[in-house]
Amino acid sequence: MRRAVALAARGLGSTSPNPVVGCVIRDASGHEVGAGWHERAGGPHAEIHALRQAGVLARGGTAYVTLEPCNHTGRTGPCAQALVEAGITRVVYAVGDPDQRATGGAETLRAAGVEVVAGLLAAEAEAGNAAWLTSVRLGRPFVLWKYAATLDGRVAAQDGTSRWISSPESRADVHRLRAEADAVVVGSGTARADDPHLAVRGIEGVVQPLRVVVDTEARAVRPGARVLDGAAPTLIAVAEDAPADRLPGTDVVRLPRDGRGLSVPALLAALHERGVRSVLLEGGPTLAGSFVAAGAVDRVVGYLAPVLLGAGPAALDGAGITTLTEALRLDVTETARIGTDLRITATATAAPAAAPTAAPKER
């Protein structure tokens, strides 16, 4: 199953709005005879790839799958039935399918006489498929907030300079995060200060994420901005009452205001409607604060550089937290040395706020 979890991760960034799934098949004597993962939306599911590789050796064997085999016909047929027809006699899966349209695979397998075991390495499989599971359970994209800061928590110097706080290795690692996300989001402050490109560089064969600029007043993104080139699709989010005729031909979504900026739940709902299941939040302290205040940060990746500034903006601003008892508590899941920096990955310990539930459109 751990190999299946690793295989599933190969689909990150290319399967949305579908889940990432891995499958390993062992024959009746316990030898691996097939393996695969869901490679792209609309393509064969992981079980089908593994069954094709196994061929007749699958008969009498065991399938290890990170997600309960689907039980419906969409752009592909039901995997539960395919496993039955291949002669699989035992199926072990990690996580039950929460999608009401596709669930029921376990019952179909049992009805056909297949032994079914659920829950093996469920926590590892859940973590690897967090984006899709969040989108189904909460009806909004999974949000990963990434930032780079000094050891004293500054994301820029007092004069506003911020390039480069983190190491070249950390900046390359951010492109990996972008490649695994469906959308990369920044705010108007970042758009004005950095003119960011936001596309993935240095990774072959990547599906470029949607580049999203939260430009409430429709003033930050100007003609000729790097984010408007053809390297990746771009969406500009503006307020309902903001003039948005300065960028003809640009994809623009109008959203309601909420406090100082746009409504974060409305933004996430609009992205979810477009098939976005995972968001990499790269904006500055203000945008990050608005996401935290909305309860819409699921995971944090911080790159801490061995640098001290003593002054300058902090990584987070305007999160609505006024006392320690209101703090967003995190569970550190990984620490790693990246170049000269320390990368810390943590998840929110409290359940993030839910958005209106919307059914996935694929599978």
Side-chain angles (χ1 to χ4, degrees), residues 273-297:
E273 179 65 24
R274 291 168 178 256
V276 171
R277 299 295 178 259
S278 60
V279 165
L280 175 61
L281 181 62
E282 289 198 39
T286 301
L287 187 63
S290 67
F291 271 73
V292 171
V297 170

Side-chain angles (χ1 to χ4, degrees), residues 86-346:
I88 291 290
T89 58
R90 184 169 179 260
V91 172
V92 182
Y93 68 86
V95 180
D97 194 333
D99 182 354
Q100 293 304 308
R101 300 175 310 128
T103 192
E107 287 80 359
T108 294
L109 291 165
R110 290 191 180 100
V114 177
E115 179 188 354
V116 178
V117 179
L120 179 63
L121 297 186
E124 291 184 30
E126 285 245 2
N129 212 12
W132 183 80
L133 290 169
T134 297
S135 74
V136 174
R137 293 167 177 168
L138 300 184
R140 65 155 176 83
F142 176 89
V143 177
L144 187 158
W145 170 40
K146 158 265 164 187
Y147 71 94
T150 63
L151 281 184
D152 55 341
R154 311 293 178 173
V155 295
Q158 194 168 26
D159 65 357
T161 54
S162 60
R163 293 186 177 182
W164 295 102
I165 286 176
S166 59
S167 67
E169 292 85 354
S170 290
R171 298 197 295 276
D173 194 58
V174 170
H175 284 276
R176 175 187 60 84
L177 296 181
R178 288 181 182 177
E180 294 177 354
D182 295 338
V184 179
V185 179
V186 299
S188 57
T190 299
R192 279 191 294 264
D194 298 338
D195 187 22
H197 191 231
L198 302 182
V200 179
R201 298 189 300 275
I203 301 177
E204 293 294 328
V206 69
V207 177
Q208 289 288 350
L210 175 68
R211 300 178 292 187
V212 182
V213 180
V214 180
D215 188 5
T216 305
E217 306 299 336
R219 296 174 181 168
V221 180
R222 301 177 180 275
R226 297 174 69 213
V227 78
L228 297 178
D229 68 8
T234 299
L235 176 68
I236 311 299
V238 304
E240 292 172 324
D241 57 349
D245 55 354
R246 301 168 62 183
L247 298 170
T250 302
D251 194 3
V252 174
V253 60
R254 293 183 173 276
L255 301 172
R257 294 177 182 267
D258 183 8
R260 295 181 296 170
L262 297 182
S263 165
V264 170
L267 172 63
L268 292 176
L271 293 176
H272 191 272
E273 179 65 24
R274 291 168 178 256
V276 171
R277 299 295 178 259
S278 60
V279 165
L280 175 61
L281 181 62
E282 289 198 39
T286 301
L287 187 63
S290 67
F291 271 73
V292 171
V297 170
D298 302 290
R299 185 178 296 163
V300 179
V301 174
Y303 298 88
L304 300 184
V307 176
L308 297 175
L309 284 174
L316 189 64
D317 180 50
I321 299 170
T322 59
T323 181
L324 191 60
T325 58
E326 299 172 351
L328 176 62
R329 299 289 178 175
L330 304 174
D331 177 26
V332 175
T333 57
E334 183 192 44
T335 59
R337 182 76 177 265
I338 305 292
T340 57
D341 305 330
L342 178 66
R343 184 186 68 199
I344 299 178
T345 303

